[in-house]
Amino acid sequence: MFYERLLALCQENNEKITPVIKKLGLSAGSIARWRNGTIPDGNTICKIAEYFNVSSDYLLEKTDIKQSPSEEDKNQILIEEFTKMFFDLLPEQREQA
């Protein structure tokens, strides 16, 4: 649930939820709605995700990975995968590649 993720992020960062919400210019009344299962709008999700440096998917519990990989990390993963694929080829296949 969104509220539990938000609460956990606040605890991990030694912050209380109400001051965080106020820092972001959001209504403290939103907290009660979130606690009851309401999911905030996209702009609010983006503000909170940016504040805690996590992905919106993490806040919405679509993943347990806090951050999406950076472009540099994605490129490195691709290079490693291609290198592995290349070395898995037979010698004659490598010559053709």
Side-chain angles (χ1 to χ4, degrees), residues 15-91:
E15 297 193 63
K16 301 241 184 242
I17 193 167
T18 302
V20 168
I21 297 309
K22 288 182 179 179
K23 279 183 203 175
L24 296 173
L26 304 170
S27 164
S30 300
I31 298 168
R33 290 192 299 276
W34 300 339
R35 191 180 304 121
N36 291 326
T38 301
I39 296 173
D41 64 42
N43 289 332
T44 301
I45 293 284
C46 288
K47 281 183 182 181
I48 296 170
E50 188 175 307
Y51 181 83
F52 286 109
N53 196 29
V54 297
S55 70
S56 56
D57 283 346
Y58 178 78
L59 279 176
L60 296 171
E61 295 186 308
K62 292 183 179 184
T63 182
D64 289 329
I65 300 169
K66 288 186 178 181
Q67 294 180 328
S68 299
S70 68
E71 286 302 313
E72 188 174 311
D73 289 341
K74 288 179 189 176
N75 290 339
Q76 185 60 39
I77 290 167
L78 285 174
I79 290 169
E80 289 170 6
E81 288 175 358
F82 285 132
T83 302
K84 183 184 179 319
M85 287 172 32
F86 180 78
F87 285 107
D88 286 345
L89 295 173
L90 296 172

Side-chain angles (χ1 to χ4, degrees), residues 2-20:
F2 169 79
Y3 176 78
E4 279 83 19
R5 278 280 162 103
L6 175 59
L7 190 59
L9 285 168
C10 288
Q11 291 170 345
E12 287 171 22
N13 289 279
N14 297 316
E15 297 193 63
K16 301 241 184 242
I17 193 167
T18 302
V20 168

